Amino acid sequence: MSEDRRLDVLRAIVEDYVATKEPVGSRALVERHSLGVSPATIRNDMAALEEGGYIAQPHTSAGRVPTDKGYRLFVDQLSTVKPLSSPERRAIGTFLENAQDLDDVVDRAVRLIAQLTHQVAVVQYPSLRRSALRHVELVPVGHRHLLVVLITDTGRVEQRTLELGADLDETVVARLRSRLNVSAAGRRLSELPVALGELTDAFAPADQVLVNAVVAVLEETLAQESEERVVLAGTANLARVGSSDVRAIGPVLEALEEQVVLLRLLSEMAEDSATVAVRIGRETQHDGLFETSFVTTGYGDEGGGSVARIGSIGPLRMDYPGTMSAVRAVARYLTRILAQ
Amino acid sequence: MSEDRRLDVLRAIVEDYVATKEPVGSRALVERHSLGVSPATIRNDMAALEEGGYIAQPHTSAGRVPTDKGYRLFVDQLSTVKPLSSPERRAIGTFLENAQDLDDVVDRAVRLIAQLTHQVAVVQYPSLRRSALRHVELVPVGHRHLLVVLITDTGRVEQRTLELGADLDETVVARLRSRLNVSAAGRRLSELPVALGELTDAFAPADQVLVNAVVAVLEETLAQESEERVVLAGTANLARVGSSDVRAIGPVLEALEEQVVLLRLLSEMAEDSATVAVRIGRETQHDGLFETSFVTTGYGDEGGGSVARIGSIGPLRMDYPGTMSAVRAVARYLTRILAQ
DNA sequence: GGTAGCACTCCCCGCACAGGAGTGCCAATG
DNA sequence: CATTGGCACTCCTGTGCGGGGAGTGCTACC
């Protein structure tokens, strides 16, 4: 019993099952693939694969279906890259290039992935901590409130309102603003704390309350990993005809609305060594997503780690090669666009 | 045959159907409501109501179900306001008051509505055109790009990148910034064009290109009705067990992702005279939403029209009184919060 | 106008049954 | 020893049938 053929059989099962959405039997397999052996032989291989936990049967007299473990093996070793068609590549390029600002880029990217993969798309906004600061603006609001606006080199704009114990002094605010911009502009947000620490001394003791408050808000904003934002599109694809269990989409929608869940997954997947990371079924470690796979990759790498991630979420029974190459392609264009 | 009782019967049918999700028959009706007459009498009334198009039977020997027209009559004349429980009121207040900035307020509001109504919630960001300008900021980006940031009194921050034909002159930018803020601050965005028109003359002809470009961007941003943003929450509620047709949620999700559809509906409903506007089934004029009703109301009225709208989308067979009062309650708190 | 009675319609549910797909096992084969 | 054909077996799926029940419309009556 050749080991190679067994893997061929697994690959064939995954491909057929993804294509037909039906458990695949030994006869159908030899008909659709030129394996050069008889159904009986395939059955022996299947028994071995089932023994190994790579496939399973929904019920006794049914065909086989890949398990999480089977998909995992397929993704890691058996799938071949599926390049996008050249019209697709062109579409990605032109669609993204016409974007106006960061919001627009993100919006277009997420729609693009949803359309390419026919699944739910996720795009994470560029991380604050890994961006460089371009400008800080302080806007007085009434007498005792200050609006702090920060703008990053990825074009992200973040705002916070600050409530003060005392009335605002316009000239102090102006001085603080200019000093902030001198010492902060161009720095990575992670390096900021050092630069800001020295700032306080330059002000009169009476004004240090204000300065410290502003600095605190800045640092707090940048530290907040939870402040990461994700955008979704294509949730309607969950309800497409042919989805395994239409009833099962409720928990999935719930999980997707819980941004916490997505952010955890995204950050976990950032640790993966592979450029395109995949979480299959229960690997997501979330009850609502146990029949779901998640394909993500980073974008915006400027010689080092990436700035954030994009991805696509679909049924266990998804077109992994296609999804992976679509996600990777969009990430590449995105990286290029953000570098301007 | 009393006309009054016929309306009582319709009300009873709507209430029972909403509660049980099953077609309601004449016997069940007299048992659950003290109508003081026999089932046979009710049957006559039902025949009349069916004749009038207010109710229908799914099939010959089934109970009756309200039609769009029936729900409409119920909403307009038969429903009685259902006040929220006082714990609910308190929850709304405390939940909204703890919000940080505008994004946070909107996010909390939309989650709140989703939770109160167990349906899909929609919150529209404060309209740019109906807000007042608080501050304009110009941030040079590289040599030939200018980032224009505007901040409204509702706390909304909007940004645009401007590409210039010539290199930037810092001093001109600074002058333009201060003049813009002098002439623009505190004005309604709709009044701006006048104020901005005079601005150009104050600059040297060589600089007017820049000035005009910035003014153009501002006006364009404010004019763009399409720039309205809406936020959703609770889409998972669409898939709750008990939804009439789980298959029908696909089209609904599609419609919700098409922000255009939502924005059209919201702006149409802003014309309604009633404080809480309702669109029932086909009244939405959208194929995906024909089994869906939409309840909205404005918020942020500062002596005049409202700044934007919030609402809840659910099945035809929804608890209209409950939804209407929940939406209205959140709108009131929202208005109060925004007024700070 | 309201009511009781009654025949009628049609859905829904459980059940049995046939058809079919797929398997596992075994004995035979190169 | 891997491979193969044959065969009995399992179990899902679709279908037809019949009974029970809910609800209606109609008619005669108060």
Side-chain angles (χ1 to χ4, degrees):
Chain A
M1 189 187 310
S2 121
E3 182 71 19
D4 281 0
R5 194 192 53 228
R6 240 166 37 199
L7 294 180
D8 283 347
V9 170
L10 177 57
R11 179 193 293 117
I13 291 175
V14 171
E15 286 172 359
D16 277 21
Y17 183 57
V18 167
T20 66
K21 309 181 190 346
E22 304 220 324
V24 12
S26 51
R27 182 150 34 91
L29 221 47
V30 299
E31 279 169 8
R32 295 178 42 114
H33 301 77
S34 26
L35 293 167
V37 290
S38 79
T41 309
I42 299 298
R43 283 205 282 280
N44 290 327
D45 291 336
M46 284 173 143
L49 286 169
E50 184 160 16
E51 178 74 18
Y54 299 105
I55 57 179
Q57 1 186 17
H59 51 82
T60 323
S61 71
R64 301 308 214 289
V65 164
T67 60
D68 287 10
K69 192 176 171 188
Y71 284 121
R72 169 53 65 193
L73 185 60
F74 175 82
V75 167
D76 287 347
Q77 301 184 32
L78 305 178
S79 67
T80 51
V81 225
K82 185 156 89 182
L84 296 186
S85 71
S86 72
E88 279 175 326
R89 307 200 82 87
R90 249 180 291 124
I92 297 177
T94 56
F95 189 58
L96 284 185
E97 271 156 24
N98 288 333
Q100 306 273 344
D101 55 12
L102 179 66
D103 282 338
D104 203 16
V105 171
V106 168
D107 187 60
R108 281 165 183 257
V110 76
R111 283 172 196 267
L112 196 52
I113 298 174
Q115 203 189 327
L116 287 172
T117 64
H118 305 293
Q119 296 175 164
V120 181
V122 181
V123 172
Q124 188 177 22
Y125 266 76
S127 151
L128 287 178
R129 290 193 307 181
R130 301 198 197 107
S131 307
L133 202 55
R134 177 176 291 151
H135 187 79
V136 178
E137 184 55 34
L138 306 176
V139 184
V141 178
H143 293 299
R144 298 189 160 225
H145 288 84
L146 191 64
L147 186 65
V148 182
V149 180
L150 42 136
I151 303 170
T152 73
D153 62 344
T154 41
R156 187 163 167 181
V157 179
E158 207 65 20
Q159 40 164 326
R160 285 290 177 290
T161 312
L162 186 61
E163 184 165 2
L164 301 167
D167 280 6
L168 279 170
D169 179 340
E170 262 293 352
T171 62
V172 176
V173 170
R175 244 182 80 215
L176 178 54
R177 175 185 314 146
S178 75
R179 304 212 55 141
L180 268 178
N181 280 301
V182 167
S183 61
R187 309 238 175 165
R188 292 256 143 195
L189 295 191
S190 49
E191 319 161 350
L192 263 193
V194 191
L196 292 181
E198 307 160 0
L199 202 65
T200 319
D201 305 334
F203 286 80
D207 300 329
Q208 292 192 356
V209 181
L210 170 66
V211 177
N212 285 332
V214 172
V215 168
V217 164
L218 282 179
E219 289 180 345
E220 184 188 311
T221 304
L222 309 179
Q224 247 176 325
E225 179 72 53
S226 66
E227 186 48 37
E228 306 295 346
R229 282 177 57 196
V230 287
V231 179
L232 295 178
T235 47
N237 290 328
L238 284 176
R240 272 212 330 284
V241 281
S243 274
S244 54
D245 244 334
V246 195
R247 300 163 308 184
I249 88 168
V252 178
L253 278 174
E254 279 174 27
L256 295 182
E257 281 203 9
E258 279 293 336
Q259 306 228 325
V260 189
V261 176
L262 285 181
L263 289 171
R264 170 180 62 76
L265 276 166
L266 286 169
S267 81
E268 281 175 15
M269 293 169 88
E271 309 296 323
D272 280 25
S273 55
T275 56
V276 178
V278 181
R279 284 285 177 284
I280 295 168
R282 302 189 186 280
E283 292 174 3
T284 57
Q285 308 269 29
H286 188 281
D287 289 344
L289 301 179
F290 77 104
E291 283 180 328
T292 295
S293 288
F294 197 5
V295 175
T296 72
T297 190
Y299 71 88
D301 1 38
E302 290 159 2
S306 49
V307 152
R309 315 210 111 225
I310 64 175
S312 178
I313 300 172
L316 227 41
R317 176 208 330 108
M318 77 162 64
D319 171 14
Y320 288 94
T323 304
M324 290 169 78
S325 59
V327 166
R328 200 180 45 191
V330 173
R332 282 190 183 149
Y333 277 94
L334 208 47
T335 303
R336 202 199 297 167
I337 300 279
L338 285 185
Q340 271 138 15
Chain B
M1 188 187 312
S2 120
E3 183 68 21
D4 280 1
R5 195 193 53 228
R6 263 208 327 240
L7 294 181
D8 283 347
V9 170
L10 177 57
R11 178 194 294 120
I13 290 175
V14 171
E15 287 173 359
D16 277 21
Y17 183 57
V18 166
T20 66
K21 306 178 186 359
E22 303 222 324
V24 10
S26 50
R27 182 151 34 89
L29 220 45
V30 299
E31 279 168 7
R32 296 179 41 116
H33 301 77
S34 28
L35 293 166
V37 291
S38 78
T41 310
I42 299 297
R43 282 206 283 281
N44 289 328
D45 292 336
M46 283 173 140
L49 286 169
E50 182 160 18
E51 177 73 18
Y54 298 105
I55 57 179
Q57 4 186 17
H59 52 82
T60 323
S61 71
R64 302 305 216 290
V65 163
T67 60
D68 286 11
K69 192 176 170 188
Y71 285 120
R72 170 51 65 193
L73 185 60
F74 175 80
V75 167
D76 288 346
Q77 300 184 31
L78 305 178
S79 67
T80 50
V81 222
K82 184 157 88 182
L84 297 185
S85 71
S86 72
E88 279 175 326
R89 308 199 80 89
R90 248 180 292 124
I92 297 178
T94 56
F95 190 58
L96 284 185
E97 270 155 23
N98 289 334
Q100 307 273 344
D101 54 11
L102 180 67
D103 282 337
D104 203 16
V105 171
V106 168
D107 188 59
R108 281 164 183 256
V110 75
R111 283 173 195 268
L112 197 52
I113 298 174
Q115 204 189 326
L116 287 171
T117 64
H118 307 293
Q119 296 176 163
V120 180
V122 181
V123 172
Q124 189 178 19
Y125 266 76
S127 153
L128 288 179
R129 291 194 307 180
R130 301 199 197 107
S131 306
L133 204 55
R134 175 176 290 152
H135 187 79
V136 178
E137 185 56 34
L138 306 176
V139 184
V141 178
H143 292 299
R144 298 187 160 227
H145 288 84
L146 191 63
L147 186 64
V148 182
V149 180
L150 41 136
I151 302 170
T152 73
D153 62 344
T154 42
R156 186 163 168 180
V157 179
E158 206 64 19
Q159 39 165 325
R160 284 291 177 287
T161 313
L162 187 61
E163 184 163 5
L164 300 167
D167 279 6
L168 279 172
D169 178 339
E170 264 292 352
T171 63
V172 176
V173 170
R175 243 181 82 216
L176 178 54
R177 176 181 338 180
S178 75
R179 304 210 57 135
L180 270 178
N181 280 302
V182 168
S183 61
R187 308 234 176 172
R188 294 254 140 195
L189 296 190
S190 49
E191 320 161 349
L192 263 191
V194 191
L196 292 180
E198 306 160 359
L199 202 66
T200 319
D201 304 334
F203 286 81
D207 299 330
Q208 292 193 354
V209 180
L210 169 66
V211 177
N212 285 331
V214 172
V215 169
V217 165
L218 281 180
E219 289 180 344
E220 185 188 311
T221 304
L222 309 181
Q224 249 176 321
E225 178 73 54
S226 66
E227 184 49 36
E228 304 296 346
R229 282 176 59 198
V230 287
V231 180
L232 295 178
T235 48
N237 289 328
L238 284 176
R240 273 211 332 284
V241 281
S243 274
S244 55
D245 244 334
V246 194
R247 300 163 307 184
I249 89 169
V252 178
L253 279 174
E254 280 175 26
L256 295 182
E257 281 203 9
E258 281 291 339
Q259 307 228 326
V260 191
V261 175
L262 285 181
L263 289 171
R264 169 179 64 74
L265 275 166
L266 286 170
S267 80
E268 282 175 14
M269 293 170 87
E271 308 295 324
D272 280 25
S273 55
T275 55
V276 177
V278 181
R279 285 283 176 283
I280 296 167
R282 302 189 187 281
E283 292 174 2
T284 56
Q285 307 270 26
H286 188 281
D287 288 345
L289 301 178
F290 77 105
E291 282 180 329
T292 293
S293 289
F294 197 4
V295 175
T296 72
T297 190
Y299 70 88
D301 2 35
E302 289 161 3
S306 52
V307 152
R309 313 210 113 226
I310 64 176
S312 177
I313 301 173
L316 227 41
R317 180 206 332 103
M318 76 163 66
D319 171 13
Y320 289 94
T323 305
M324 290 168 78
S325 60
V327 166
R328 199 180 46 190
V330 174
R332 283 191 183 148
Y333 278 94
L334 209 47
T335 303
R336 200 201 299 169
I337 300 279
L338 286 185
Q340 270 137 17

